[in-house]
Amino acid sequence: MELLHAAPADIWRLLIPAANWMFADDMPEDELMFHYRDHIYFVNGDGSVLALPKPARFERMDASECLQLLATSDETVDFDDNGEFDYGFVLKQMGYIAPTRRSREKAAYRIEIVNTILPQSMSTQYELKRVSFDFALYHALMRCHELNRRSNWEYEHEVKRIDKVEQRTEEHVRFQV
């Protein structure tokens, strides 16, 4: 699956269960509002993320009330304003845990990460075996965060693609010496 040019809201939709999405029918396709644990999150079309502690009455609020509260509350966290631009910052603050239910399909995934500031530089590729796609995506986003941190935030690493690796049946070949 190609992810380099995917809309940020689409990447968040891959991570966050649909049951946590808020006002999905009222939001533009390139935006997403969701709740996770004790916060409400809003993903803008440009990828910036706002977070707000869940108000006590959040289940009775409509989309415009939530957006108004996000825009005006002193408790709203704007990750971009804090200089926190990659998914890893938000995932850490959320306390995100990738679902690992046994009933989910487990497979091997090949992940490719690129440096978008120096695209001619070598990309990073690795495989994860016996994991769900959700976990592979989470792992890839956190790996990007780590690579960005190691470069002292001078480079921007992003997930280029995640592909399911087809399992080959291994045939044992015997050689006589």
Side-chain angles (χ1 to χ4, degrees):
M1 170 183 282
E2 179 71 33
L3 294 170
L4 188 59
H5 301 292
D10 290 336
I11 292 175
W12 282 105
R13 284 184 188 99
L14 292 170
L15 287 169
I16 304 300
N20 292 53
W21 301 353
M22 299 171 62
F23 317 112
D25 296 334
D26 301 330
M27 304 295 285
E29 193 173 309
D30 67 341
E31 295 177 353
L32 176 66
M33 189 180 304
F34 63 91
H35 63 92
Y36 190 83
R37 296 187 179 212
D38 56 352
H39 280 74
I40 294 173
Y41 297 88
F42 177 72
V43 180
N44 283 299
D46 66 359
S48 59
V49 178
L50 302 173
L52 175 72
K54 275 185 197 173
R57 58 182 178 84
F58 96 96
E59 286 118 352
R60 294 187 302 269
M61 297 174 76
D62 63 22
S64 63
E65 289 175 307
C66 276
L67 290 171
Q68 180 67 27
L69 192 57
L70 276 162
T72 59
S73 175
D74 291 336
E75 294 183 272
T76 297
V77 175
D78 184 333
F79 289 92
D80 276 10
D81 283 355
N82 293 340
E84 300 169 333
F85 301 105
D86 70 28
Y87 291 91
F89 284 111
V90 181
L91 291 167
K92 282 182 176 182
Q93 190 275 340
M94 290 172 65
Y96 181 81
I97 298 173
T100 56
R101 288 188 214 116
R102 292 175 198 241
S103 62
R104 293 199 180 231
E105 179 183 344
K106 303 279 192 225
Y109 291 94
R110 181 176 301 111
I111 297 166
E112 184 176 359
I113 295 173
V114 294
N115 180 340
T116 59
I117 304 297
L118 288 174
Q120 70 277 15
S121 67
M122 187 170 49
S123 65
T124 300
Q125 293 184 27
Y126 62 97
E127 280 187 23
L128 293 175
K129 296 180 181 178
R130 297 180 43 94
V131 298
S132 66
F133 178 83
D134 297 354
F135 183 83
L137 176 58
Y138 167 73
H139 192 279
L141 293 170
M142 293 309 294
R143 180 68 181 142
C144 289
H145 178 72
E146 178 63 16
L147 291 168
N148 292 341
R149 186 189 65 74
R150 285 185 182 180
S151 73
N152 204 25
W153 314 108
E154 291 182 26
Y155 298 120
E156 187 173 330
H157 295 84
E158 292 187 23
V159 180
K160 181 176 180 181
R161 61 184 309 109
I162 299 176
D163 294 312
K164 189 173 183 179
V165 177
E166 295 300 320
Q167 302 292 29
R168 299 183 295 270
T169 57
E170 296 182 19
E171 294 181 16
H172 298 283
V173 180
R174 292 184 185 196
F175 293 99
Q176 282 189 321
V177 184

